[in-house]
Amino acid sequence: MPNQSQYVLETMLRIIHKSSELITEPRVFGTEVLYASEIHMIDIIGRNPGIHVTEIANKLGITKGAVPKIICKLLQKELIYRYQAKDNKKMVLFTLTPKGHASFQSHIEFHKKLDQGIIKKFNSLQESELLMFHDIMHEIEEYIDRIEK
């Protein structure tokens, strides 16, 4: 018979699996069906108009080489504009089109809905419970980081 720790682990693994499915399946944002990589790039550009490739890569934690692939898809879908910096013609900058802005706003609303229930539960906890939960989650994250290496 599994003990309580095993039940907690099974619940955590189900949450990870469901979260993974939630972010890997394309979904409609605004008028477009977008993958997580696309909407997260739109989110970065929407929060940082006039951003360039290196900044996008740093903010998303991906390589600079991965950025143009996603940028190309977003340009084809007419969700972003590409333009040159006035003071540096070699630097390419990005901003959202009106269609891209609609997707950006839809993504914000998606996260408000998703995050609302989780934050509500966290707010119902005593501060000591929340700190203990945070400490446990942080230790699990560090453990996973060590295993990856």
Side-chain angles (χ1 to χ4, degrees), residues 68-85:
K69 295 173 187 172
I70 304 167
I71 288 290
C72 185
K73 291 177 184 176
L74 298 178
L75 286 166
Q76 288 173 347
K77 293 179 180 185
E78 300 178 344
L79 296 168
I80 61 172
Y81 291 121
R82 172 191 344 205
Y83 62 98
Q84 291 178 323

Side-chain angles (χ1 to χ4, degrees), residues 36-99:
S37 60
E38 295 170 327
I39 193 61
H40 289 138
M41 190 166 294
I42 286 173
D43 187 69
I44 293 297
I45 295 169
R47 293 176 194 280
N48 305 276
I51 193 169
H52 58 80
V53 170
T54 302
E55 290 175 316
I56 292 171
N58 290 340
K59 290 184 181 293
L60 286 174
I62 60 176
T63 65
K64 287 193 314 184
V67 173
K69 295 173 187 172
I70 304 167
I71 288 290
C72 185
K73 291 177 184 176
L74 298 178
L75 286 166
Q76 288 173 347
K77 293 179 180 185
E78 300 178 344
L79 296 168
I80 61 172
Y81 291 121
R82 172 191 344 205
Y83 62 98
Q84 291 178 323
K86 291 179 182 173
D87 56 340
N88 181 349
K89 296 296 181 189
K90 291 183 179 180
M91 184 173 290
V92 178
L93 307 175
F94 301 94
T95 193
L96 298 178
T97 64
K99 193 171 156 182

